[in-house]
Amino acid sequence: YILGLLLGLIFHDFTSEDKGQKRMAFLKRQLPSWVSVALFGLSLSILCLLVFPISTYYDTDHEIPPITTTHSAGWSRDSVIVYNTFKFFAWGLALFILVLPTCLGKLGLVTELLGGHIWAPLAKLTYGAYLIHMLYPQALLTSTDATTFYYHTSHTLGMWLVFTVGSYFWAAILWLVVECPAGNLQKMVMTSIMRPPVKRKLTDAQPLNNASKIIRSPRAFNAAANNNL
């Protein structure tokens, strides 16, 4: 979270003020292209080291797979502790290294890929899916009549697909029913509160127009003539 906030502040500084834009242009000129490519490769290496070596954890001949315990796992207990301690920081650091060159205008292909319009609908549903995906699998698994007592690759991939699609499906419904109307209501309220009051200015033409209307009125002209007499 801290790395994400720091990256957001850097991006805001580079795009909001003239000084920040000058700093971004200076760093873009000073940063060689090979450094951006090296950072991109380092980021992908960290991400792969966090994802793929997990398969060795289940590399065991024991009849009971190590799902909820480190017993009979392919890793030692110390290895599991080290991985679980640093995995979140390493994942955030890898994303930080990946996105930082794109803030400087480097890695154009990566920028076009990550900033494509195809991600816009998923970006609106990501937070809702994040909140739902912790509850949806539990509700789905506890509602079944049978309990799965073994796991294999096809079963795990199938359940992952069901959980992912289901989480985004319910996130889309919540976005249409709750999040989008609440956001529009908040926008209307804040706009009405922050809108400055409209002040009507009296121009010099308005008294002249009123006087011309009085003079053009026959009754007013006669009354003015009688008063003068």
Side-chain angles (χ1 to χ4, degrees), residues 44-56 75 83 87 91:
L44 289 184
S45 300
I46 296 175
L47 295 176
C48 292
L49 288 175
L50 290 174
V51 174
F52 294 106
I54 300 178
S55 60
T56 60
W75 293 2
Y83 178 82
K87 64 180 180 181
W91 186 271

Side-chain angles (χ1 to χ4, degrees), residues 53-209:
I54 300 178
S55 60
T56 60
Y57 176 81
Y58 301 99
D59 187 11
T60 177
D61 296 332
H62 198 273
E63 58 183 3
I64 301 177
I67 301 299
T68 58
T69 178
T70 58
H71 177 68
S72 71
W75 293 2
S76 63
R77 186 173 184 273
D78 295 336
S79 301
V80 174
I81 293 175
V82 171
Y83 178 82
N84 290 327
T85 302
F86 294 101
K87 64 180 180 181
F88 295 110
F89 175 77
W91 186 271
L93 181 62
L95 295 181
F96 181 86
I97 296 174
L98 176 64
V99 179
L100 183 59
T102 62
C103 296
L104 299 175
K106 300 289 185 176
L107 301 176
L109 182 61
V110 178
T111 304
E112 292 293 332
L113 179 62
L114 297 180
H117 297 288
I118 190 175
W119 305 112
L122 294 178
K124 296 180 180 179
L125 305 179
T126 299
Y127 186 68
Y130 166 74
L131 297 177
I132 293 174
H133 90 281
M134 296 180 288
L135 302 176
Y136 179 70
Q138 297 180 5
L140 186 62
L141 292 176
T142 55
S143 63
T144 57
D145 297 333
T147 302
T148 303
F149 58 90
Y150 66 93
Y151 292 88
H152 49 80
T153 303
S154 60
H155 178 270
T156 303
L157 292 177
M159 296 304 295
W160 172 82
L161 182 62
V162 172
F163 295 155
T164 303
V165 175
S167 297
Y168 274 93
F169 172 77
W170 290 109
I173 293 179
L174 289 179
W175 186 84
L176 292 174
V177 176
V178 178
E179 188 174 353
C180 183
N184 293 334
L185 182 61
Q186 180 185 6
K187 186 184 298 183
M188 293 173 58
V189 172
M190 296 302 297
T191 302
S192 61
I193 294 176
M194 301 300 294
R195 181 183 301 170
V198 179
K199 296 181 180 180
R200 299 184 61 183
K201 295 182 179 180
L202 184 62
T203 60
D204 296 336
Q206 289 178 345
L208 295 177
N209 292 334

